Amino acid sequence: MKNLKKILKFKRELRDDLISLYYAGKFSDQFTDLMIQLTQHEEHEEIKNNLSYLMVEVFQNIVRYKKENKQKYEIFSLRSIDDHLHIFSSNVVDLSSYSILKDKLKDINEKNPDDLKKLYLEILKAGVFGEKGGAGLGLLQMARRSSNPIQYNFSPVNEESKLFQYQLDFSINKGERIHERDKVFIAENITLLEEIYDEDIIFLFKGDFKKENANAILNIIQANTRFQTKNKEFNDYRVFHTAVELIQNISRHGKDLGGSIEGVFSLMRNDSGFYLATGNYIKNGEFEKVEDHFNKLNNYKGDDLQRVYLKTLKENAITESNQAGVGLIDVRRYNLSPFDFDIITDNNGFYLTAGVLIPFYI
Amino acid sequence: MNEFSEPTINKDDSNGVVSISGISMMEDAMDFYKPLKEWADQYLNSNKALVIDFELNYFNSSSAKQFIQLISKLEDDQFEGKVIWKYPNDHIIMYDRGKELEAILDVPFEFIGT
């Protein structure tokens, strides 16, 4: 239950977010399209191109500049709150990059849009690019296309490196400068995102659980849960299958809140295994049914699970619907660990959080 | 991203073989498999035997339900036919999951490790 409580806590912290995306998994270019998919929303239509551009730039910067070994607080995040989007990046840089970045950022933030454009054209003309593709030009473009200053923060890691964190803020109304009072300050975001990181969370998404998003999440999960143990195939399968059934449960049973089914999905990794957790509103009147279903599932013993799975699958096969009604039984028999679940109420109704540990060794 | 969630389906009218291969994890499995089940009904109107050839790396629980509905058409005594269940040799779960379907259904299964 300890893990599940974390999800509830972060759900509360992110309650005003239309979309929250937090990622601290493997950083490679294969993930950029998936991140973009997860942040697509009709509210972002007007600035869709800028959003994709900025996400790709920021994500690729982490990929390009990351150290060989995984570093603490390597994080990519996007939050969509009210009319504003906030792309956040956190990664470790060496001291030489630090001194360049520090000066460039200061310089860029002091310039007005016209000066930024002038500087941009000058750099293009001079053809001065840094060894790794021109950090200066990248930052300049970020400032221009977000139409807002870049918020940033450096903090010490060790004698050779600094933690470099920056945030791009922009409005869903193209070109609009965000008023001081509406700002999400980078310090607030750092506190929250590092807290999520410290809870061993690799990936967290809050948003619409439409089909395309569900598939993007599954791609991300699959790539970040490869086992190195001797039962590799079996273990990879267990995580993936659990994720599929939990996510599809949200899309099938989640309560429609004005045109979309909002849910939360998170992947944690700790010493005992991977922990998958979901959160979503359930339809009115399903409280008892859901509670009863989870209690039953948790009470089955090993052999029962196999028997109940086959019996239910056979019985339900006659009915005409997408539901086989065995998804969670199936998950439970592979993982053996019981489900954690909790149902709370708030303004939107009943909110279900459910999680399950997929142990490294069975 | 449909190639990620939907299998490839090949129907061979002349040999009476339908093959389902790849990954089957769509959310709306019922809609996806409806045309195939209709095709099977039609095919069995004028033919006696059908072979259903599976070569899957993964399927979700709602796909399992659709497989049962498809395969169970062959349970009718007037038809002959079988399921060929191909599974990756190193993937014991895909073999087990085939065995589970075999246990539920009264149709011959042939298992082939690939």
Side-chain angles (χ1 to χ4, degrees):
Chain A
M1 284 305 278
K2 196 177 82 221
N3 290 326
L4 205 61
K5 291 267 181 270
K6 294 174 194 168
I7 297 301
L8 261 180
K9 190 178 107 189
F10 293 128
K11 188 243 167 205
R12 272 195 295 271
E13 300 259 8
L14 301 167
R15 65 183 171 273
D16 296 330
D17 292 25
L18 175 70
I19 295 170
S20 332
L21 173 64
Y22 158 94
Y23 182 75
K26 291 176 185 159
F27 281 92
S28 78
D29 288 333
Q30 72 178 102
F31 296 106
T32 45
D33 285 348
L34 303 172
M35 299 292 155
I36 289 170
Q37 168 60 47
L38 290 175
T39 55
Q40 282 183 1
H41 195 281
E42 55 187 28
E43 295 235 331
H44 305 154
E45 200 52 36
E46 194 182 320
I47 41 96
K48 208 167 103 184
N49 291 343
N50 266 355
L51 173 59
S52 306
Y53 174 87
L54 293 170
M55 285 189 65
V56 171
E57 276 296 304
V58 174
F59 198 88
Q60 286 186 346
N61 270 346
I62 303 181
V63 175
R64 209 178 297 159
Y65 294 103
K66 74 175 169 38
K67 307 269 176 226
E68 263 175 45
N69 304 324
K70 188 122 189 74
Q71 302 284 319
K72 200 179 176 186
Y73 296 138
E74 253 173 20
I75 300 169
F76 173 84
S77 162
L78 177 133
R79 295 176 69 193
S80 171
I81 311 167
D82 296 327
D83 286 349
H84 305 137
L85 289 148
H86 311 277
I87 299 178
F88 174 88
S89 165
S90 170
N91 67 306
V92 172
V93 295
D94 55 34
L95 291 185
S96 63
S97 301
Y98 158 68
S99 59
I100 298 171
L101 288 165
K102 184 176 55 124
D103 292 345
K104 289 242 155 81
L105 283 161
K106 187 168 173 285
D107 188 38
I108 287 169
N109 280 348
E110 280 167 0
K111 286 190 160 50
N112 63 35
D114 288 343
D115 288 343
L116 286 175
K117 189 174 179 183
K118 227 164 91 187
L119 180 62
Y120 173 68
L121 293 173
E122 270 169 29
I123 296 179
L124 276 190
K125 223 161 96 186
V128 187
F129 295 103
E131 264 178 31
K132 276 188 164 177
L137 195 65
L139 291 171
L140 184 59
Q141 280 294 72
M142 286 179 193
R144 290 187 64 209
R145 294 190 70 158
S146 67
S147 310
N148 278 278
I150 299 173
Q151 298 192 64
Y152 62 95
N153 176 63
F154 290 98
S155 50
V157 175
N158 54 38
E159 281 174 7
E160 289 145 25
S161 44
K162 296 252 183 206
L163 187 62
F164 170 43
Q165 298 170 309
Y166 65 100
Q167 182 173 310
L168 307 179
D169 310 283
F170 51 109
S171 165
I172 58 168
N173 307 308
K174 204 172 178 179
E176 192 177 79
R177 194 146 171 135
I178 299 173
H179 198 280
E180 212 46 32
R181 66 165 182 260
D182 296 329
K183 269 195 172 165
V184 170
F185 290 101
I186 189 170
E188 297 168 35
N189 230 356
I190 289 173
T191 308
L192 172 67
L193 297 170
E194 288 189 353
E195 205 181 327
I196 296 177
Y197 187 99
D198 290 337
E199 296 291 7
D200 300 318
I201 295 178
I202 299 171
F203 170 72
L204 187 143
F205 171 72
K206 179 199 170 192
D208 189 354
F209 273 66
K210 58 186 173 195
K211 222 186 301 176
E212 296 81 3
N213 285 356
N215 280 349
I217 296 171
L218 288 166
N219 269 293
I220 292 167
I221 300 306
Q222 193 173 36
N224 279 289
T225 54
R226 294 281 183 212
F227 278 82
Q228 303 299 334
T229 53
K230 62 174 184 190
N231 289 327
K232 204 185 150 321
E233 288 286 340
F234 177 59
N235 286 325
D236 286 348
Y237 177 88
R238 282 192 300 145
V239 182
F240 185 70
H241 189 46
T242 305
V244 170
E245 298 295 341
L246 284 178
I247 288 171
Q248 294 189 344
N249 260 344
I250 298 184
S251 4
R252 282 198 200 105
H253 302 295
K255 183 178 167 185
D256 196 324
L257 298 173
S260 74
I261 295 175
E262 187 203 283
V264 172
F265 183 88
S266 81
L267 168 71
M268 284 179 216
R269 188 204 163 105
N270 57 31
D271 294 341
S272 31
F274 288 112
Y275 190 85
L276 299 181
T278 59
N280 60 283
Y281 288 98
I282 52 177
K283 289 164 193 152
N284 294 342
E286 292 212 330
F287 175 91
E288 279 171 12
K289 204 174 112 193
V290 170
E291 192 177 40
D292 186 50
H293 187 52
F294 275 109
N295 278 330
K296 257 195 198 145
L297 283 174
N298 283 346
N299 285 331
Y300 291 131
K301 301 281 174 292
D303 288 349
D304 289 347
L305 284 164
Q306 184 67 10
R307 189 180 47 75
V308 172
Y309 169 76
L310 290 178
K311 185 168 166 278
T312 316
L313 184 62
K314 195 176 173 180
E315 282 171 3
N316 291 0
I318 319 162
T319 59
E320 276 303 321
S321 81
N322 274 317
Q323 288 159 243
V326 292
L328 295 181
I329 306 175
D330 196 12
V331 165
R332 170 96 166 82
R333 76 190 170 127
Y334 281 119
N335 295 324
L336 299 179
S337 40
F339 284 99
D340 295 329
F341 73 99
D342 196 6
I343 302 172
I344 57 153
T345 51
D346 68 13
N347 297 340
N348 289 319
F350 293 113
Y351 193 84
L352 166 74
T353 43
V356 66
L357 175 75
I358 299 152
F360 288 135
Y361 305 103
I362 284 197
Chain B
M1 255 179 271
N2 280 342
E3 68 274 22
F4 182 67
S5 61
E6 293 176 359
T8 306
I9 293 186
N10 281 309
K11 297 175 285 224
D12 183 346
D13 282 276
S14 55
N15 288 322
V17 179
V18 54
S19 67
I20 302 170
S21 61
I23 285 174
S24 182
M25 50 167 276
M26 68 296 290
E27 217 177 282
D28 39 13
M30 188 173 68
D31 291 344
F32 180 81
Y33 285 103
K34 197 168 171 239
L36 179 61
K37 288 187 289 182
E38 283 168 0
W39 174 86
D41 282 335
Q42 221 162 29
Y43 183 83
L44 290 169
N45 266 337
S46 44
N47 294 277
K48 285 246 164 298
L50 178 66
V51 174
I52 308 173
D53 186 325
F54 289 93
E55 189 166 5
L56 294 167
N57 292 313
Y58 177 76
F59 61 96
N60 63 352
S61 64
S62 50
S63 296
K65 173 172 168 171
Q66 298 304 316
F67 297 163
I68 292 173
Q69 291 186 353
L70 176 68
I71 300 166
S72 64
K73 295 184 189 303
L74 299 176
E75 285 185 319
D76 192 325
D77 282 343
Q78 58 169 317
F79 302 129
E80 293 164 30
K82 66 175 174 183
V83 170
I84 297 178
W85 190 268
K86 294 177 184 145
Y87 61 95
N89 260 329
D90 54 355
H91 206 328
I92 193 71
I93 296 182
M94 288 313 295
Y95 171 79
D96 285 345
R97 301 206 86 192
K99 279 283 171 191
E100 285 166 5
L101 294 178
E102 185 187 31
I104 294 176
L105 292 150
D106 187 19
V107 173
F109 272 59
E110 193 181 315
F111 288 84
I112 303 174
T114 57

